[in-house]
Amino acid sequence: MIAPVWGWLALGYAVASRLAYVLYVGFALWQQERSQHFTRTVGQDEGFSRFRRMASLLMTNDAVGLIAACLVGWHTLPGGWPRSMMVVAGTLLVIVGIATKLWARATLGGDAYYWANFFVDTSAVTRVRAGPYRFFRNPMYTVGYLHAYGAALLAASLPGLLAALFAQGAILVFYALVEKPHFDRSRDATSRERVDARESR
């Protein structure tokens, strides 16, 4: 079945919402790292709070976009898969994805979910090896996105599936261009600080 025009409009909304989310967060974090844009005049706590409020709003809108693409594109997924199989598979993916994301968030702490490492001293940035991070290098952006595909399967929605693919692709690009380079630089700086501290003893 071909998705109706409203399904494609919902997909467009989901794509636009995801772009607004990753582009704003990416640019804002780049500004913060480059010139302490958020914290320079108001301090670390208030600067982080301002960023977090906007990021949270965009995250919520992004989630609404994905849900809309799934619901408006209801029963448009091509193929002869039995409906019961899609429901079971979709439910499992939703459970695994959400559980992984919640586990990762609990492991890192709520502030880390909003990239708090861009707002703290370099010496506070370390690699986590607890929780799901013992098994996956980046559970938030990999296994933690299974719920998006699960929602699309539950709705049998082609626009929903495409929105999930775009959402994960966009966040992985964001990770590669913004988050990972920052972490690598912070980790290198931390290593240099530890070496300097040992040598000064």
Side-chain angles (χ1 to χ4, degrees):
M1 179 179 180
I2 299 174
V5 64
W6 289 110
W8 299 120
L9 289 174
L11 174 59
Y13 172 59
V15 168
S17 298
R18 172 55 52 143
L19 285 175
Y21 162 31
V22 297
L23 290 176
Y24 169 78
V25 170
F27 183 68
L29 294 179
W30 176 78
Q31 283 186 307
Q32 173 61 23
E33 182 176 37
R34 181 171 173 266
S35 62
Q36 291 74 53
H37 173 76
F38 289 89
T39 57
R40 186 173 60 248
T41 58
V42 297
Q44 180 177 307
D45 291 341
E46 178 60 25
F48 177 62
S49 294
R50 290 181 181 182
F51 165 78
R52 180 172 174 159
R53 283 193 295 271
M54 188 62 185
S56 180
L57 179 64
L58 290 170
M59 283 181 179
T60 301
N61 182 64
D62 176 64
V64 170
L66 176 64
I67 293 169
C70 290
L71 294 179
V72 178
W74 191 270
H75 278 251
T76 56
L77 196 63
W81 295 353
R83 184 73 184 117
S84 58
M85 187 174 77
M86 284 197 290
V87 169
V88 170
T91 301
L92 288 174
L93 290 177
V94 168
I95 292 171
V96 172
I98 291 178
T100 301
K101 198 170 279 288
L102 291 175
W103 190 16
R105 180 172 178 169
T107 301
L108 296 176
D111 286 346
Y113 188 74
Y114 292 92
W115 303 279
N117 60 328
F118 281 79
F119 297 82
V120 299
D121 295 333
T122 300
S123 59
V125 179
T126 57
R127 181 175 294 282
V128 176
R129 299 193 184 278
Y133 293 89
R134 289 176 293 178
F135 312 106
F136 306 102
R137 188 174 184 86
N138 191 343
M140 279 278 195
Y141 300 156
T142 54
V143 181
Y145 263 75
L146 291 180
H147 68 283
Y149 300 99
L153 285 180
L154 284 171
S157 172
L158 178 58
L161 183 60
L162 294 175
L165 284 167
F166 183 82
Q168 187 171 32
I171 202 68
L172 288 173
V173 170
F174 161 82
Y175 173 73
L177 296 180
V178 179
E179 193 169 351
K180 186 177 185 300
H182 169 78
F183 180 80
D184 289 343
R185 286 190 292 271
S186 299
R187 185 179 54 184
D188 291 344
T190 301
S191 298
R192 287 193 299 272
E193 288 173 6
R194 288 174 179 170
V195 170
D196 292 343
R198 285 197 300 268
E199 291 177 348
S200 65
R201 290 175 184 171

